[in-house]
PDB file of all heavy atoms in Angstrom:
ATOM      1  N   ASN A  48     113.772 152.902 -64.159  1.00  0.00           N
ATOM      2  CA  ASN A  48     114.810 152.531 -63.195  1.00  0.00           C
ATOM      3  C   ASN A  48     116.161 152.829 -63.837  1.00  0.00           C
ATOM      4  O   ASN A  48     117.120 153.256 -63.156  1.00  0.00           O
ATOM      5  CB  ASN A  48     114.697 151.029 -62.782  1.00  0.00           C
ATOM      6  CG  ASN A  48     113.582 150.854 -61.787  1.00  0.00           C
ATOM      7  OD1 ASN A  48     113.122 151.775 -61.143  1.00  0.00           O
ATOM      8  ND2 ASN A  48     113.125 149.547 -61.659  1.00  0.00           N
ATOM      9  N   CYS A  49     116.306 152.489 -65.120  1.00  0.00           N
ATOM     10  CA  CYS A  49     117.646 152.742 -65.755  1.00  0.00           C
ATOM     11  C   CYS A  49     117.924 154.267 -65.922  1.00  0.00           C
ATOM     12  O   CYS A  49     119.060 154.667 -65.802  1.00  0.00           O
ATOM     13  CB  CYS A  49     117.561 152.115 -67.151  1.00  0.00           C
ATOM     14  SG  CYS A  49     117.689 150.290 -67.110  1.00  0.00           S
ATOM     15  N   GLN A  50     116.809 155.009 -66.098  1.00  0.00           N
ATOM     16  CA  GLN A  50     116.979 156.464 -66.069  1.00  0.00           C
ATOM     17  C   GLN A  50     117.487 156.934 -64.733  1.00  0.00           C
ATOM     18  O   GLN A  50     118.323 157.900 -64.575  1.00  0.00           O
ATOM     19  CB  GLN A  50     115.721 157.150 -66.544  1.00  0.00           C
ATOM     20  CG  GLN A  50     115.349 156.920 -68.018  1.00  0.00           C
ATOM     21  CD  GLN A  50     113.939 157.323 -68.322  1.00  0.00           C
ATOM     22  OE1 GLN A  50     113.096 157.405 -67.538  1.00  0.00           O
ATOM     23  NE2 GLN A  50     113.744 157.569 -69.644  1.00  0.00           N
ATOM     24  N   THR A  51     116.950 156.357 -63.704  1.00  0.00           N
ATOM     25  CA  THR A  51     117.407 156.694 -62.294  1.00  0.00           C
ATOM     26  C   THR A  51     118.862 156.289 -62.109  1.00  0.00           C
ATOM     27  O   THR A  51     119.657 157.025 -61.573  1.00  0.00           O
ATOM     28  CB  THR A  51     116.528 155.992 -61.275  1.00  0.00           C
ATOM     29  OG1 THR A  51     115.183 156.371 -61.410  1.00  0.00           O
ATOM     30  CG2 THR A  51     117.005 156.323 -59.850  1.00  0.00           C
ATOM     31  N   LEU A  52     119.198 155.170 -62.641  1.00  0.00           N
ATOM     32  CA  LEU A  52     120.628 154.672 -62.585  1.00  0.00           C
ATOM     33  C   LEU A  52     121.565 155.673 -63.275  1.00  0.00           C
ATOM     34  O   LEU A  52     122.593 155.992 -62.787  1.00  0.00           O
ATOM     35  CB  LEU A  52     120.721 153.328 -63.240  1.00  0.00           C
ATOM     36  CG  LEU A  52     122.175 152.729 -63.428  1.00  0.00           C
ATOM     37  CD1 LEU A  52     122.873 152.616 -62.038  1.00  0.00           C
ATOM     38  CD2 LEU A  52     122.229 151.452 -64.189  1.00  0.00           C
ATOM     39  N   LEU A  53     121.083 156.144 -64.511  1.00  0.00           N
ATOM     40  CA  LEU A  53     121.900 157.151 -65.240  1.00  0.00           C
ATOM     41  C   LEU A  53     122.126 158.414 -64.349  1.00  0.00           C
ATOM     42  O   LEU A  53     123.199 158.964 -64.309  1.00  0.00           O
ATOM     43  CB  LEU A  53     121.219 157.449 -66.538  1.00  0.00           C
ATOM     44  CG  LEU A  53     121.967 158.447 -67.458  1.00  0.00           C
ATOM     45  CD1 LEU A  53     123.434 157.940 -67.766  1.00  0.00           C
ATOM     46  CD2 LEU A  53     121.180 158.786 -68.717  1.00  0.00           C
ATOM     47  N   ALA A  54     120.990 158.844 -63.691  1.00  0.00           N
ATOM     48  CA  ALA A  54     121.113 160.042 -62.991  1.00  0.00           C
ATOM     49  C   ALA A  54     121.954 159.930 -61.791  1.00  0.00           C
ATOM     50  O   ALA A  54     122.592 160.951 -61.230  1.00  0.00           O
ATOM     51  CB  ALA A  54     119.725 160.546 -62.534  1.00  0.00           C
ATOM     52  N   ASN A  55     122.201 158.702 -61.236  1.00  0.00           N
ATOM     53  CA  ASN A  55     122.949 158.530 -60.047  1.00  0.00           C
ATOM     54  C   ASN A  55     124.255 157.765 -60.323  1.00  0.00           C
ATOM     55  O   ASN A  55     124.954 157.281 -59.393  1.00  0.00           O
ATOM     56  CB  ASN A  55     122.131 157.692 -59.026  1.00  0.00           C
ATOM     57  CG  ASN A  55     120.947 158.548 -58.437  1.00  0.00           C
ATOM     58  OD1 ASN A  55     121.084 159.321 -57.537  1.00  0.00           O
ATOM     59  ND2 ASN A  55     119.785 158.334 -59.096  1.00  0.00           N
ATOM     60  N   ALA A  56     124.655 157.626 -61.550  1.00  0.00           N
ATOM     61  CA  ALA A  56     125.866 156.919 -61.921  1.00  0.00           C
ATOM     62  C   ALA A  56     127.146 157.573 -61.349  1.00  0.00           C
ATOM     63  O   ALA A  56     127.229 158.813 -61.258  1.00  0.00           O
ATOM     64  CB  ALA A  56     125.988 156.826 -63.450  1.00  0.00           C
ATOM     65  N   THR A  57     128.033 156.722 -60.860  1.00  0.00           N
ATOM     66  CA  THR A  57     129.318 157.258 -60.254  1.00  0.00           C
ATOM     67  C   THR A  57     130.504 156.833 -61.071  1.00  0.00           C
ATOM     68  O   THR A  57     131.588 157.138 -60.618  1.00  0.00           O
ATOM     69  CB  THR A  57     129.421 156.688 -58.788  1.00  0.00           C
ATOM     70  OG1 THR A  57     129.434 155.253 -58.849  1.00  0.00           O
ATOM     71  CG2 THR A  57     128.304 157.136 -57.874  1.00  0.00           C
ATOM     72  N   SER A  58     130.245 156.186 -62.202  1.00  0.00           N
ATOM     73  CA  SER A  58     131.317 155.789 -63.072  1.00  0.00           C
ATOM     74  C   SER A  58     130.888 155.829 -64.504  1.00  0.00           C
ATOM     75  O   SER A  58     129.703 155.756 -64.778  1.00  0.00           O
ATOM     76  CB  SER A  58     131.940 154.490 -62.706  1.00  0.00           C
ATOM     77  OG  SER A  58     131.042 153.485 -62.955  1.00  0.00           O
ATOM     78  N   SER A  59     131.852 155.867 -65.455  1.00  0.00           N
ATOM     79  CA  SER A  59     131.468 155.777 -66.844  1.00  0.00           C
ATOM     80  C   SER A  59     130.848 154.491 -67.178  1.00  0.00           C
ATOM     81  O   SER A  59     130.030 154.344 -68.068  1.00  0.00           O
ATOM     82  CB  SER A  59     132.746 156.039 -67.692  1.00  0.00           C
ATOM     83  OG  SER A  59     133.762 155.144 -67.412  1.00  0.00           O
ATOM     84  N   ALA A  60     131.359 153.398 -66.522  1.00  0.00           N
ATOM     85  CA  ALA A  60     130.806 152.039 -66.837  1.00  0.00           C
ATOM     86  C   ALA A  60     129.304 151.991 -66.477  1.00  0.00           C
ATOM     87  O   ALA A  60     128.523 151.493 -67.193  1.00  0.00           O
ATOM     88  CB  ALA A  60     131.524 151.002 -66.009  1.00  0.00           C
ATOM     89  N   GLN A  61     128.904 152.659 -65.290  1.00  0.00           N
ATOM     90  CA  GLN A  61     127.486 152.660 -64.884  1.00  0.00           C
ATOM     91  C   GLN A  61     126.704 153.512 -65.901  1.00  0.00           C
ATOM     92  O   GLN A  61     125.591 153.122 -66.221  1.00  0.00           O
ATOM     93  CB  GLN A  61     127.391 153.172 -63.514  1.00  0.00           C
ATOM     94  CG  GLN A  61     127.810 152.259 -62.452  1.00  0.00           C
ATOM     95  CD  GLN A  61     127.649 152.821 -60.988  1.00  0.00           C
ATOM     96  OE1 GLN A  61     127.203 153.925 -60.827  1.00  0.00           O
ATOM     97  NE2 GLN A  61     128.067 152.073 -60.032  1.00  0.00           N
ATOM     98  N   ARG A  62     127.265 154.626 -66.324  1.00  0.00           N
ATOM     99  CA  ARG A  62     126.538 155.470 -67.297  1.00  0.00           C
ATOM    100  C   ARG A  62     126.299 154.655 -68.566  1.00  0.00           C
ATOM    101  O   ARG A  62     125.257 154.815 -69.204  1.00  0.00           O
ATOM    102  CB  ARG A  62     127.284 156.768 -67.498  1.00  0.00           C
ATOM    103  CG  ARG A  62     127.113 157.783 -66.385  1.00  0.00           C
ATOM    104  CD  ARG A  62     127.680 159.108 -66.684  1.00  0.00           C
ATOM    105  NE  ARG A  62     129.144 159.181 -66.900  1.00  0.00           N
ATOM    106  CZ  ARG A  62     129.955 159.400 -65.899  1.00  0.00           C
ATOM    107  NH1 ARG A  62     129.523 159.586 -64.713  1.00  0.00           N
ATOM    108  NH2 ARG A  62     131.319 159.301 -66.154  1.00  0.00           N
ATOM    109  N   THR A  63     127.363 153.954 -69.056  1.00  0.00           N
ATOM    110  CA  THR A  63     127.245 153.233 -70.313  1.00  0.00           C
ATOM    111  C   THR A  63     126.056 152.156 -70.158  1.00  0.00           C
ATOM    112  O   THR A  63     125.243 152.043 -71.045  1.00  0.00           O
ATOM    113  CB  THR A  63     128.523 152.559 -70.663  1.00  0.00           C
ATOM    114  OG1 THR A  63     129.540 153.607 -70.847  1.00  0.00           O
ATOM    115  CG2 THR A  63     128.423 151.744 -71.901  1.00  0.00           C
TER     116      THR A  63
END
Side-chain angles (χ1 to χ4, degrees):
N48 284 339
C49 291
Q50 289 167 339
T51 301
L52 173 62
L53 180 60
N55 293 275
T57 59
S58 68
S59 59
Q61 287 181 0
R62 283 191 293 271
T63 298

